[in-house]
Structure formats: C-alpha cells, structure tokens
Amino acid sequence: MAGDRPKERKGEDIKGFLADLLPDLIKLLAKYEAVELEDVELYAKKLILEFLPAVPVPVAPPAPPAPAKPTELMPESFEPPIITYPGRVEEVKIGATRSEGGSRGRTYVIGGETNPPYYIFEKPPPHRPIISMDVFEHELIETKKIGLPKAVKMHVKDVIHDPGEWARRNVDKFKADMVVVHLLSMDPLMEDKEPKEALKTVEEVLQAVDVPVVVGGCGDPVKDAEAFKLASDMFSGERLIMSSVTLDMADKGILDETAKAIAQHGHIALAFTPIDLNMARELNRKLYGHVPRDSIIMDLTSAALGYGTEYSYTIMERARLAALMGDKELQHPIMACSANTWAAREAWMKEAEMGEIWGPRELRGPIYEAVCAIVYLLAGADWLMVEHPAVTRTLRDLIDALMKKGASKPEDIADWVSRKLG
C-alpha cells in the first residue's frame, strides 16, 4: 500500500538487489561520470558518513619588494684583444741632411708598422704619416695645357710663375712636409721637353726649400726612365723619391737600368701599379734585384670619391694586412694621392652646372678631397699627396688626434649624439 513503510529485506534479498543494480549503475557512471537519483528514500538502522580531507589551497608567497632604481651604471672591466702579428712594414727614410750626403734640413721616416692602422689599444703608429703638396710647371698652366682647379689656383695664383716660391708657400704657409714637382712638360703629347731641361725646375725647388722633394714624371715610361736616371745622378745623395717606376718600364726593358741608377745614388723608388696586388708583388720582385727593400714605397692607385674609392681602400687594407701576416713582397709603406680627386667633375664643376644642392665648388672641392684623404689615411697610407691647403690643414689636425694615445677623455665625448657643432 502506498505510503507504507517498506518491508525489511533479508540479507540474501539485499545482496541480490545490489547484484542486479550495481552493473547498471557502473555502466551509467562510466558513461556519464555522475548519476543523480531523484525521489529516493534511504532506510537504514545505522548511517555512516565519511568525509575525505580537503586539499589545502596554496597560499601565494608575498610579492618581493620592487628593486631600487639604479643610480649608476654597473661597473664592468674590459680588456682589449691584443694581437701580435708576424710581419712588419719596412721603414723608409726620406731625404738626407748635409751630414748624410744631402742638403735637406728635414728628413722623415715612414713605415715600420707592426699592427693595423691606428689600433692605438695595441700600440700607436711608430711614425707620423707625412703630407706632400704639388708644384707644376707654370708654362703648362699659363698655356692651359693642364688645368688647375679654381678652388686650388686661388691660393697660389700669385706664385704660379715661380716654382721655387710655389714650393716655399706649400711648406711655410700650408705646412706641407714634402714637395712634389710634376714634370709634365716631358710628355710627348705636350711639349716633349728634354728631361735635362725639365729637371731645372726640380733644382730650383731644391734650392728654395729644405724639405725632401719628389721627382714626378709625365707618365711616359721612356721619358720618365730617362729623367729618373738623370735626376739620380744630378741630385746624388739627396734621397729623393722617383715617382713612379712601373711595369710598363719592365715591358720596354728599361726598368732594370732605371732601378740601378736610383739605388746607386741612394734615392727611393715609388712603385706604381693599378689596383692589383699581384701586379704590386711582381713589380716589387723586379725591383728587389737592384733597389734595397728600405728604398721602395708602393702606390697602389688612389681613385676619387664616386669613381672607385672603395676599391682603393680595399686594396690598401688588403696590402697592409697581408704585410702584417708575413707577405714580404707587400711589406712596404703606402702612398695615397688624394689630389686625384680633382679629376672628378663633382669636385671642380660650377654650382650652376651641378645644381644648387651641390653648393659652391670652393667648399665642395676641398671637402671632396678631404673625404678621400681621410679614407686613405684610415686604410694605412703612410704618405698622402694633397692638392688643396685646407685638406692639408684638416689632415694635420686629424693625424694629431690619432697619434695621441690615451689623450681623449671619455666624459668629453660621451654625449656625442647630442653634441652641437658651432
């Protein structure tokens, strides 16, 4: 009857009941993971409730205090990577005093490097790079057979007619270390002047200044070889530089006798090759049979900005690194000619022709040359052949700074990003 208390079951009845119920209950739990019973009443004489212990909830540790704001940089030591190189560049002495058989009041030594250019942290350069400036034959300028850029001519126009005065101005006013006398009048395509006649200009310059002098040829191998042999004898003992001996002379069979004359009278050979280290090695090998190693300087070719400066830089850098690594055929000082920059139209053309953005050539030209000269200096040039006096002044200031090991104060340059010019 509904609502009546259910009849108590015996033990066997309960076991049978559970045996019937449990399989179904297990199936339901396997399928649904939980079973909710509704309208169920439990009758028990004794009810035992068992509570499992609760899992404690972890308590987060207290947040660490915020770090203090730093007030200074963390001190850290630094040791520069000092490297010892197996090779060494030859030292070349330029010029000779009276006691040494010449007549110069000043002499210079270049080369001698045992590490890459301006690795001051290893060691400073053994000798200061030197700067030369040019003198040309006045008749070629007056007849306009050669053109002197206006930005350069304006500084020497009153002495162009006198090579001695021109050389004196280069030395006394513009502070050039040497003077280069270019004998372009010997060129068969210009005046085809005899070397003996052209060398009178060199003699005039030697009497006007007491610095070392460079005898510059005209580019014709036959005329240059003749001039160098004659100059070697005429100015024996002065230790001049003959610019330049080339592989073209070797091709014509006149290099050996020219090299012998240069060495016999104690002069120096400037060995010119066109941006090719294999050709530089070849020319130097040909000279070794006659010219002492300490009387050879290399001209690896200096290209103007925008016309191959990066090639010139690379070839100079490769030559110097090869020398330091032991390549004896390249262990010679390097000459770089920033004066070649003036062959580029960007250096000398008028602003009206180039465009307003280029600015006046009186400023553009010197800046153009200065950029090239600095590039060559950093590539390892020991001697820079310069045209414009402002470039000479700029280079002297830069060389002064580069040669001063440890003189710079970090605190003075730490704010270089925000530094204002002027």
Side-chain angles (χ1 to χ4, degrees):
M1 181 179 294
D4 290 345
R5 180 185 177 95
K7 187 185 292 184
E8 291 184 6
R9 295 188 179 186
K10 296 181 180 180
E12 293 298 327
D13 294 337
I14 293 174
K15 290 180 181 180
F17 171 77
L18 290 176
D20 294 336
L21 176 63
L22 286 177
D24 294 334
L25 186 60
I26 291 172
K27 289 180 181 179
L28 290 172
L29 287 173
K31 183 176 182 180
Y32 299 106
E33 296 184 356
V35 175
E36 183 176 347
L37 302 177
E38 295 182 357
D39 299 327
V40 174
E41 293 182 4
L42 295 177
Y43 295 91
K45 292 181 179 181
K46 185 178 182 180
L47 180 62
I48 299 175
L49 298 177
E50 183 178 354
F51 296 92
L52 297 176
V55 178
V57 178
V59 179
K69 186 176 181 180
T71 58
E72 61 182 10
L73 295 176
M74 182 182 297
E76 185 63 45
S77 61
F78 171 74
E79 292 294 332
I82 306 300
I83 300 175
T84 300
Y85 302 87
R88 179 179 180 274
V89 177
E90 293 283 348
E91 288 185 326
V92 176
K93 184 177 182 181
I94 304 171
T97 61
R98 292 187 182 279
S99 63
E100 296 167 333
S103 63
R104 303 298 86 201
R106 283 179 263 176
T107 62
Y108 302 99
V109 177
I110 60 175
E113 292 89 352
T114 57
N115 60 328
Y118 307 104
Y119 273 37
I120 304 296
F121 58 88
E122 290 184 345
K123 64 174 65 174
H127 303 290
R128 180 188 177 94
I130 58 175
I131 302 170
S132 67
M133 295 187 71
D134 295 336
V135 168
F136 295 93
E137 297 156 302
H138 67 92
E139 59 267 25
L140 297 181
I141 299 174
E142 292 168 354
T143 58
K144 297 184 178 180
K145 290 185 177 179
I146 62 171
L148 197 63
K150 184 179 179 181
V152 175
K153 191 174 182 179
M154 61 187 292
H155 295 282
V156 295
K157 60 183 180 181
D158 58 325
V159 293
I160 281 178
H161 64 284
D162 187 332
E165 285 299 318
W166 191 347
R168 193 175 288 116
R169 177 164 297 182
N170 285 345
V171 174
D172 296 342
K173 184 176 181 180
F174 303 149
K175 306 303 180 184
D177 299 312
M178 297 195 303
V179 174
V180 182
V181 184
H182 295 277
L183 305 179
L184 301 179
S185 63
M186 299 187 302
D187 191 335
L189 300 177
M190 289 194 181
E191 295 190 352
D192 200 19
K193 186 181 288 187
E194 288 299 316
K196 186 175 182 179
E197 182 68 19
L199 285 169
K200 290 180 180 179
T201 304
V202 177
E203 187 173 8
E204 189 175 346
V205 169
L206 282 168
Q207 293 175 358
V209 295
D210 68 347
V211 300
V213 172
V214 180
V215 180
C218 65
D220 181 86
V222 176
K223 297 296 285 285
D224 286 352
E226 186 178 350
F228 295 158
K229 288 186 291 184
L230 188 57
S232 295
D233 184 33
M234 288 176 60
F235 310 118
S236 182
E238 290 286 3
R239 198 149 178 79
L240 307 182
I241 299 175
M242 303 299 167
S243 171
S244 303
V245 295
T246 65
L247 287 173
D248 289 340
M249 292 180 179
D251 293 339
K252 293 184 177 296
I254 54 178
L255 177 62
D256 289 347
E257 59 185 26
T258 304
K260 287 178 183 177
I262 292 172
Q264 180 182 352
H265 296 281
H267 299 297
I268 301 162
L270 179 62
F272 169 80
T273 49
I275 312 188
D276 188 316
L277 289 186
N278 288 329
M279 295 179 72
R281 292 185 179 96
E282 180 184 356
L283 179 55
N284 289 343
R285 285 196 298 269
K286 292 180 182 297
L287 292 174
Y288 290 154
H290 312 290
V291 181
R293 291 179 58 86
D294 64 357
S295 295
I296 298 173
I297 300 173
M298 297 188 299
D299 178 357
L300 301 171
T301 300
S302 308
L305 180 62
Y307 294 83
T309 302
E310 67 276 19
Y311 293 104
S312 292
Y313 177 91
T314 300
I315 211 75
M316 293 177 194
E317 182 184 49
R318 286 175 55 202
R320 179 52 48 86
L321 293 178
L324 296 176
M325 295 309 294
D327 190 334
K328 292 186 177 298
E329 293 176 348
L330 295 174
Q331 290 176 344
H332 300 282
I334 297 172
M335 187 284 290
C337 183
S338 65
N340 289 349
T341 302
W342 295 93
R345 63 178 185 173
E346 290 85 351
W348 57 265
M349 284 184 68
K350 296 179 181 179
E351 183 180 356
E353 298 172 311
M354 292 293 294
E356 184 178 354
I357 192 173
W358 287 87
R361 59 182 175 178
E362 290 79 10
L363 296 177
R364 182 190 345 123
I367 292 173
Y368 216 75
E369 183 182 3
V371 169
C372 290
I374 292 170
V375 167
Y376 302 145
L377 182 69
L378 298 179
D382 301 277
W383 159 26
L384 290 153
M385 195 180 291
V386 175
E387 195 70 43
H388 198 283
V391 179
T392 298
R393 183 171 61 251
T394 299
L395 287 175
R396 293 188 72 87
D397 291 344
L398 178 59
I399 292 169
D400 286 343
L402 290 173
M403 297 293 288
K404 292 178 181 178
K405 179 183 180 182
S408 299
K409 296 180 179 180
E411 59 271 20
D412 293 341
I413 60 175
D415 62 341
W416 65 271
V417 175
S418 60
R419 183 65 61 90
K420 293 182 179 179
L421 299 177

